[in-house]
Amino acid sequence: MEKLRSLRKQRGISQEKMANAIATDPSNYSRKERGEVRIYDDEWEKLAKFLEVPVEDIKEEVVANIVNNNDSTTFNDNAGNFNQYYTIPNSIIENLQSFIKVLMEQNEALKEENKKLKG
């Protein structure tokens, strides 16, 4: 987000004031400016209006977010438009997979119960 940061600094505007322009806290704005958190289209518009420039003068697209796990499984979130890498411990992945399995079993049981009640 070099264009955005550069223009903000040229104008002597604090990250706090930029954060206020998009109704967020300075810490979150800082992450957005560093490209760690997505800046949504409506936020780009508010920032451009605050800086009194066209959106095109500040908006930069970044590549998709990739999550790389210890077991070499890669998740690609094409909607996120982030350029960050995360390592998720296998224990968390396994826990979530177990939870999904329980939910799927409960869903099947509820479907069967629904069939009996209808029949």
Side-chain angles (χ1 to χ4, degrees), residues 48-92:
K49 184 176 180 180
F50 182 76
L51 293 168
E52 298 176 333
V53 296
V55 173
E56 300 76 34
D57 285 3
I58 58 169
K59 187 174 182 180
E60 296 177 66
E61 296 295 332
V62 287
V63 252
N65 186 28
I66 297 172
V67 176
N68 193 356
N69 296 305
N70 293 335
D71 64 357
S72 298
T73 304
T74 301
F75 295 94
N76 191 352
D77 178 7
N78 291 324
N81 294 327
F82 299 101
N83 189 18
Q84 297 293 314
Y85 296 90
Y86 302 93
T87 301
I88 301 173
N90 284 335
S91 60
I92 292 175

Side-chain angles (χ1 to χ4, degrees), residues 105-119:
E105 290 169 356
Q106 288 176 346
N107 191 34
E108 288 303 315
L110 289 171
K111 284 180 183 178
E112 287 301 316
E113 184 181 344
N114 196 20
K115 281 182 187 175
K116 289 178 186 175
L117 290 173
K118 286 183 177 179

